[in-house]
Amino acid sequence: MSRSIAQAALQQLEQFLPCPTPQAWLDWALQNQTLLLTDHANCEKKAASNAMTLMYRHVGHTGLLTKMSQLAREELLHFEQVVALMAARNIPYERIGASRYASGLRALMRTDHHGGLIDSLLVGAIVEARSCERFARLAPLLDEELGRFYRSLLRSEARHFQDYLALAAEFNEQHGGQQAIDERLAVFMTLERELIESTDTEFRFHSGVPA
């Protein structure tokens, strides 16, 4: 993906997300590139797992099954690519703890079948959008190889967040339509902004700013 297309993708993400990634996090990321890559790999693996979970829980939705199957394959490919890039740089792939970001968003999810599905899709969209926004902001700051790799992820990651939103809108047509979707998004976005702009003591791909 060219730099001009990457900039266009970033503008779209900025319209969706409640705030940009703070400069303090970008500076923190540049100082912790081993952790950046390790947690990036973790995020790709978790994204594939989340897509598979939706496939198992909602077997009656053909559109969802197709989209989530495609998404899971792409996320696992990205996982393989990150791990290979790490190996080439002599960075071992190790287990590290997760940030509070995704778990914080999921804590707001409803527990009934329909509400839980819609909220799962909305959280998926938000996480994918924030990941994509961070790829776009990091790419110009990293070395040529890593910057090029992050730009290459933008097209598929941007499509993922759009797929999640489209599925949520489709499944909510009989339950308040787009207005209800927008109202739920507003709830999640208030927390998302808080998670992104507040402090964390450990760096992660979705952490807030350094304490």
Side-chain angles (χ1 to χ4, degrees), residues 6-141:
Q7 189 62 35
L10 180 57
Q11 291 174 354
Q12 180 187 35
L13 294 162
E14 288 175 338
Q15 293 174 359
F16 176 71
L17 292 166
C19 65
T21 289
Q23 183 63 44
W25 183 89
L26 294 171
D27 295 339
W28 206 14
L30 297 178
Q31 298 163 12
N32 290 275
Q33 293 190 41
T34 294
L35 272 176
L36 175 72
L37 288 170
T38 301
D39 201 40
H40 178 185
N42 286 339
C43 290
E44 299 290 1
K45 187 166 61 173
K46 290 173 188 173
S49 177
N50 290 336
M52 292 292 292
T53 296
L54 283 168
M55 291 174 65
Y56 278 108
R57 288 181 178 174
H58 306 283
V59 297
H61 299 303
T62 301
L64 182 146
L65 294 175
T66 300
K67 290 294 186 184
M68 292 301 103
S69 177
Q70 293 169 346
L71 189 149
R73 291 198 302 272
E74 289 184 340
E75 300 290 19
L76 286 175
L77 174 60
H78 296 165
F79 169 75
E80 294 169 12
Q81 291 172 328
V82 178
V83 171
L85 193 153
M86 291 171 64
R89 296 178 179 221
N90 296 314
I91 300 173
Y93 176 55
E94 300 177 336
R95 178 174 300 190
I96 59 174
S99 71
R100 61 199 170 99
Y101 179 81
S103 60
L105 291 172
R106 292 194 182 101
L108 294 181
M109 287 170 47
R110 292 168 289 184
T111 57
D112 64 284
H113 181 79
H114 177 76
L117 170 58
I118 297 303
D119 287 355
S120 293
L121 294 169
L122 295 181
V123 168
I126 294 168
V127 174
E128 292 286 344
R130 179 59 68 184
S131 299
C132 195
E133 185 254 4
R134 291 198 159 175
F135 292 147
R137 292 194 182 279
L138 282 167
L141 308 176

